[in-house]
Amino acid sequence: MSNKTWPRAILHLDMDAFYVNVHILEHPEDAGRPLAIGGQPDQRGVVASASYEARKMGVRSAMPMSTAVRLCRNLKIAPANWERIRECSKQVMAILDDFGDVEQMSVDEAYVDLSEWDNPEDKVAEIRTAVKTKTALPCSVGLASSKLVAKVASDHDKPEGFTVVPPGEEAAFLAPLPTRVIWGIGPRTAEKLANLNIHTCEQLALADLGLLQGAFGNQAASLKQRARGVDGRSVEPDRGLAKSISQEWTFSQDVDDPDRLRSQLQKMAGKVAQSLQKRQLVAHTVTVKFRWADFTTFARQRSLEVGIDDADTIYAVAEAIWEEHWPPGQKMRLLGVGVSKIEAPQVRQLGFNFLD
């Protein structure tokens, strides 16, 4: 197909079971078996990635590992090799960079603008071959005229899928799929749509605008457009500064010891500070995340007049937030520290004052 029929050609590449397959590079004996990458069940670990053999048994990402081992008795658990994962990710992104502008979304996912090529479908085939040949890792790809449809297409025929949605066929491709596949539609929006008896993209595309406006206000027209595959977002090679940086820790057993909680808070503040300093950034807001033993979860934050990047200041603010909102004796399951309102520094901080 000549690129004259492609007003835009956008590829979405998604590495298949990335953490699992990176592990298999070093441990080929684990290929073909139910495998989960993540923490141990007795330490409240969660599944970061599951092999397709494990998925057939119901194991899914973000599932508590204790649930995963109940579903799959012969599940093997392995920790994530972050150094190798990052190395493999850099290899993949370097390959993509040879074909067009790349917008990396995560370690295992990216968009590539192939609009400059005469035959974008041929280039997609080249990319798949290059990734598999140079990294020995499988991937799935989707090619479409928009980011929204390209992402749905890459997930359409996993693993090692190759789905092309030619211009003009976006609405027909999306029509039978559930509304949840659409970018920006989460569980709550999908539930509200279901209450209107709207379950598929086709039903949403054909829905009465007035009916949708009653439920979603000025977002109604955008929902209808996205259900037809209309998405004007472009591939952005530089995604800009990070919006937030955070660390959190789930305790293996619920903790109410203030010294231990302060110590963990300080460690996390140090790691957040390192991330800021490495990127030569400062932050104006510090957030502390709380989770009690009964899973009650909330976050509290404070903003500062001057940007900060040092561990002592981040810890001082985080500790003040924690002391204000932690009732002594309250058992904690999880504790987190984060920063936001990030920017490149104009001047170094001389101290800090809380904003009202």
Side-chain angles (χ1 to χ4, degrees):
M1 180 179 290
S2 169
N3 197 29
K4 292 179 181 179
T5 65
W6 287 86
R8 290 196 308 169
I10 296 178
L11 164 74
H12 182 262
L13 177 140
D14 192 4
M15 303 302 293
D16 296 324
F18 186 53
Y19 297 179
V20 165
N21 283 308
V22 169
H23 170 87
I24 290 172
L25 290 178
E26 306 295 327
H27 303 276
E29 69 277 8
D30 288 336
R33 68 177 297 170
L35 174 66
I37 304 299
Q40 293 298 319
D42 59 350
Q43 297 176 351
R44 291 178 171 171
V46 298
V47 177
S49 180
S51 68
Y52 287 94
E53 293 79 10
R55 296 183 195 189
K56 290 177 182 177
M57 303 299 292
V59 179
R60 295 289 183 270
S61 296
M63 173 183 288
M65 196 65 78
S66 57
T67 301
V69 296
R70 286 197 297 270
L71 290 171
C72 184
R73 297 290 183 181
N74 61 336
L75 183 68
K76 178 171 182 177
I77 302 170
N81 184 339
W82 290 108
E83 182 178 354
R84 191 78 169 98
I85 287 169
R86 284 189 283 267
E87 177 185 318
C88 290
S89 177
K90 288 180 181 178
Q91 283 183 281
V92 172
M93 300 306 155
I95 293 168
L96 298 182
D97 198 48
D98 290 336
F99 291 86
D101 288 341
V102 177
E103 181 178 352
Q104 183 174 352
M105 306 305 294
S106 65
V107 291
D108 61 350
E109 177 187 0
Y111 292 101
V112 187
D113 191 339
L114 301 179
S115 301
E116 297 301 315
W117 296 99
D118 289 337
N119 296 290
E121 290 157 290
D122 293 343
K123 291 301 169 184
V124 175
E126 284 185 40
I127 289 170
R128 289 178 75 235
T129 300
V131 170
K132 189 65 179 286
T133 301
K134 295 179 181 180
T135 71
L137 294 166
C139 67
S140 291
V141 293
L143 178 67
S145 61
S146 70
K147 292 169 78 172
L148 184 158
V149 180
K151 181 172 175 59
V152 177
S154 71
D155 196 46
H156 191 63
D157 192 27
K158 277 183 165 287
E160 298 195 79
F162 182 179
T163 301
V164 176
V165 183
E169 297 184 19
E170 296 89 353
F173 171 71
L174 294 174
L177 302 178
T179 58
R180 278 294 305 276
V181 304
I182 297 175
W183 164 70
I185 294 185
R188 292 183 180 179
T189 301
E191 183 179 356
K192 290 177 71 175
L193 288 168
N195 290 336
L196 299 174
N197 202 30
I198 297 172
H199 304 279
T200 68
C201 293
E202 181 177 35
Q203 290 172 333
L204 178 55
L206 297 175
D208 178 74
L209 181 59
L211 176 69
L212 293 175
Q213 286 174 331
F216 302 102
N218 58 12
Q219 295 298 313
S222 174
L223 285 172
K224 282 176 65 70
Q225 286 186 322
R226 279 180 273 159
R228 298 195 304 272
V230 177
D231 174 19
R233 293 175 299 152
S234 60
V235 173
E236 300 178 8
D238 183 358
R239 301 186 67 209
L241 301 177
K243 292 183 179 180
S244 63
I245 296 172
S246 62
Q247 290 278 324
E248 60 182 47
W249 184 263
T250 300
F251 298 102
S252 57
Q253 293 183 338
D254 299 331
V255 174
D256 61 3
D257 179 353
D259 292 336
R260 187 177 173 193
L261 292 170
R262 282 192 180 89
S263 176
Q264 188 61 48
L265 203 64
Q266 189 168 29
K267 289 178 184 177
M268 293 186 294
K271 290 181 179 179
V272 169
Q274 287 177 359
S275 294
L276 284 171
Q277 293 165 10
K278 182 178 180 181
R279 304 177 193 187
Q280 296 184 324
L281 301 172
V282 296
H284 287 268
T285 298
V286 177
T287 301
V288 176
K289 181 177 179 180
F290 300 79
R291 179 171 295 158
W292 304 151
D294 64 358
F295 284 88
T296 297
T297 304
F298 63 95
R300 296 293 183 267
Q301 64 183 33
R302 288 188 181 180
S303 294
L304 311 171
E305 292 179 345
V306 179
I308 59 174
D309 70 350
D310 69 291
D312 288 345
T313 304
I314 293 172
Y315 171 63
V317 179
E319 184 185 30
I321 298 170
W322 172 75
E323 287 185 341
E324 181 179 349
H325 297 283
W326 179 70
Q330 173 69 58
K331 288 184 177 294
M332 296 200 69
R333 179 183 178 90
L334 176 146
L335 185 61
V337 177
V339 293
S340 57
K341 294 186 179 178
I342 293 172
E343 64 178 4
Q346 302 300 314
V347 294
R348 297 290 299 179
Q349 69 265 30
L350 301 175
F352 60 91
N353 295 306
F354 295 135
L355 296 175
D356 292 334

